[in-house]
Amino acid sequence: METRAGTLVRDLGTGFGTPGNLALLAAGQRQKRQVLLRMLLSDAAGVEGSGLAEAAPHITGEMLDYPNVGVWLVRCIRRIAHPDSREDVPLWADLGYLGWLRAAAFVTARQAGSVEVVVRDGVVMLPGLGLARLGPPGTYGHATLTGSFEFTMGDTRLVVRDAGGEGDERWLPLRKLGSTYSTLRTVHLDDLDPFRDFSDPYTEAQLTAPPPRLTAAQAAQWSRAFAGALEILRRQHEGYSTGIDEVLRTVVPLTAEPVANGVSNTSLHAYGGVNMSAAGGPQQFALTLIHECQHAKLTALSDQAELQKPSTVRDLYAPWRDDPRPLTGLLQGIYAHIGVTDFWRVYRREAGPKSTMADVEFARWRTQVRQALLVAAASPLLTEAGTAFVEAMGAAIRHWSHETVPARLETLARESSAGHLVAWRIRNMTVNVDDLRDRWTRGLDAGDLPEARVVPGDVPLRSRLPVGYVKMNRAAGVEPGPDTPPADLAYTDGDYERALALYQAETPDTPESWAGLALCLRQLSDEQSVSALFQRPEVVAALWRATRADVVQLTMWLSS
């Protein structure tokens, strides 16, 4: 008989999750925060002025569900564990967030009496309500908040007569983005909370610095796009819509205006929150919510089921990344991109005859997800639950095989994927070719090719778009940009001989130029004679650098 964890893993592996199992994920996150809070109360017992102990008895499970609470808990625990870290904010002021949670509930209930709250960097944040400015930046202290919504700090007095009003610049209401369909939960547009910034509490690095407070007009644009996105999700992506309704509580704007291709992320500890740039419209908003809520669900699932053996090794290929990934990162990417692929699969039907762009995106992501699943399934780090999860994902996408796209686009997707893998192996792998160089010089057969290994460390950013992407983008109606290298333009135009010469002449050689060279040779000769450039490109590149021999002859020699 299958365990509850096994049932949970297989159900979430479909990409969706039943309401009951989604509720289990949320319950697990609440329990996790309850444990972290007990740890924090113990670790911070000697810190005075935070109001932590006074607020704790009033904190409910529902309060702990607020997304930024998880980020706050981890940040404070880390600060206590590393007291020598440089911090501009006093520890007691950071700890005051728990009192802010209590105060928000206190004032919402309009209780009699008053509570004391920490003033951190001049402000008091009431999660779910808004932010009070009681002093200039750099001000730290305490204020009194009454149940009639009046703040007092020394000679400063602020009465909030309308919690949703924007007439007083000292009170900034937390704006409502909208409400989910099935749960009718209010989703907030959070451009205020001081703890929304910490995308990675362990390094305190921000993936993208959030913008200042949105204008009322900008916030209204966000709300319109969100309403349209929920309608799209409800009508076209019911399975994902259910999960989004269960997960989503806040959206943090990373940019005030739309940016090319969009930017989004989720924090490991802010379950329920999505950070994203302004969407170009409802379709992009819906796609971003699918993508990021998939990440959130898998993060929560990983807290309840051990999907892999402990490991920090980063050596796996993800077709959408230029750097090596750990198994946990690869699984996250697969799970999120299953949702992305499904989005484009459905969008193709909705777009009708004018669906070339959707066809391109579906073909691209379908190829990449299939490739990544093969990599994940072969990992010896998978546990029994992890294997079941990968199998469930594989079963969930089998119906994609019945979806047809124009043969030309399917070919382009495979071509693009092959080129990216060539570049990835050359960028990330090292190999000793001393013996091969000796055999080449002596005119011997290549024999068995030497083993290569992934090089740990930071991967330099690529300087250009992979040529396979350039070619696919053109098929979708997006012409190459002005900085596209001549070799890539020639390849995209189908002039493979000229492109091959240009790639060979590029100095210095780059992973992208090697990928273009490999794709040219496959177009100009039989695939078997250049197979080494696709199966072991890092060996070809290393041997060429060691000998500076003719690359075509080297490739054929290694491919034999």
Side-chain angles (χ1 to χ4, degrees), residues 14-39:
T14 63
F16 306 127
T18 62
N21 281 331
L22 291 170
L24 284 176
L25 295 185
Q29 291 302 293
R30 178 181 289 187
Q31 291 168 5
K32 176 182 176 181
R33 292 177 185 182
Q34 288 170 336
V35 171
L36 290 174
L37 180 57
R38 287 196 293 271
M39 290 174 56

Side-chain angles (χ1 to χ4, degrees), residues 92-114:
W92 64 265
D94 264 357
L95 293 172
Y97 197 89
L98 197 70
W100 290 355
L101 281 170
R102 178 203 177 183
F106 172 82
V107 78
T108 299
R110 295 287 181 175
Q111 295 178 8
S114 63

Side-chain angles (χ1 to χ4, degrees), residues 254-529:
L254 297 178
T255 64
E257 302 294 339
V259 296
N261 300 320
V263 178
S264 65
N265 63 75
T266 53
S267 167
L268 288 174
H269 307 287
Y271 184 78
V274 168
N275 307 336
M276 61 179 285
S277 57
Q283 292 283 356
Q284 188 182 21
F285 210 132
L287 177 58
T288 301
L289 290 179
I290 289 175
H291 182 271
E292 295 304 335
C293 286
Q294 290 294 95
H295 280 310
K297 287 190 295 184
L298 181 50
T299 297
L301 175 64
S302 299
D303 284 337
Q304 298 196 34
E306 189 176 25
L307 302 180
Q308 69 167 82
K309 301 169 189 174
S311 173
T312 58
V313 175
R314 307 169 69 92
D315 62 352
L316 298 179
Y317 173 63
W320 41 81
R321 298 281 298 232
D322 291 333
D323 57 334
R325 302 297 289 154
L327 178 58
T328 180
L330 180 61
L331 293 176
Q332 280 281 359
I334 294 170
Y335 198 61
H337 287 106
I338 284 176
V340 169
T341 311
D342 259 345
F343 176 88
W344 290 113
R345 179 183 65 82
V346 174
Y347 186 74
R348 291 182 336 126
R349 295 200 301 262
E350 298 294 320
K354 299 180 180 179
S355 63
T356 302
M357 184 267 288
D359 284 339
V360 167
E361 293 298 331
F362 174 67
R364 184 205 309 266
W365 291 114
R366 177 171 66 175
T367 299
Q368 292 184 353
V369 168
R370 284 170 167 171
Q371 193 173 10
L373 273 171
L374 292 174
V375 175
S379 173
L381 294 176
L382 286 175
T383 61
E384 183 178 348
T387 299
F389 184 67
V390 171
E391 289 174 351
M393 288 194 292
I397 70 168
R398 283 194 193 120
H399 67 97
W400 291 354
S401 300
H402 304 300
E403 299 274 347
T404 59
V405 296
R408 176 178 66 93
L409 298 183
E410 183 67 26
T411 299
L412 282 179
R414 294 177 181 176
E415 184 180 320
S416 176
S417 185
H420 184 268
L421 179 55
V422 169
W424 185 91
R425 292 185 69 100
I426 290 175
R427 176 177 283 109
N428 296 296
M429 302 189 81
T430 186
V431 60
N432 187 319
V433 294
D434 290 346
D435 184 60
L436 273 179
R437 179 175 56 186
D438 179 62
R439 296 179 72 84
W440 166 264
T441 303
R442 294 164 56 196
L444 302 176
D445 291 339
D448 294 333
L449 301 190
E451 292 295 321
R453 63 181 178 86
V454 173
V455 183
D458 294 333
V459 176
L461 297 175
R462 62 171 181 244
S463 59
R464 72 214 237 190
L465 198 64
V467 68
Y469 290 17
V470 176
K471 200 170 181 181
M472 287 204 80
N473 289 345
R474 172 176 279 184
V478 180
E479 288 299 318
D483 297 331
T484 305
D488 290 352
L489 289 174
Y491 182 84
T492 304
D493 289 336
D495 190 347
Y496 301 119
E497 291 185 354
R498 180 169 179 270
L500 178 61
L502 290 170
Y503 283 127
Q504 288 178 284
E506 285 190 356
T507 304
D509 62 297
T510 66
E512 279 65 46
S513 62
W514 277 101
L517 186 147
L519 293 173
C520 285
L521 285 178
R522 190 160 70 172
Q523 295 283 354
L524 295 170
S525 59
D526 67 281
E527 191 164 338
Q528 178 56 41
S529 66

Side-chain angles (χ1 to χ4, degrees), residues 132-196:
R133 290 173 170 167
L134 301 180
T139 300
Y140 294 91
H142 298 85
T144 300
L145 173 62
T146 67
S148 58
F149 221 149
E150 179 179 336
F151 293 91
T152 305
M153 180 184 181
D155 296 333
T156 300
R157 178 172 173 265
L158 170 61
V159 179
V160 180
R161 304 191 187 282
D162 178 8
E166 302 198 27
D168 188 339
E169 64 180 12
R170 295 179 301 165
W171 171 255
L172 304 178
L174 187 64
R175 296 179 177 124
K176 295 178 181 178
L177 191 61
S179 299
T180 57
Y181 270 106
S182 60
T183 60
L184 299 179
R185 179 192 295 128
T186 295
V187 178
H188 289 104
L189 183 61
D190 187 358
D191 56 1
L192 294 175
D193 197 308
F195 289 88
R196 79 194 189 282

Side-chain angles (χ1 to χ4, degrees), residues 75 79 85-91 93-94 120-121 138 140:
R75 171 176 164 80
R79 284 200 62 180
S85 61
R86 294 180 59 187
E87 290 286 351
D88 296 328
V89 179
L91 174 59
D94 264 357
R120 179 188 185 274
D121 202 23
Y140 294 91

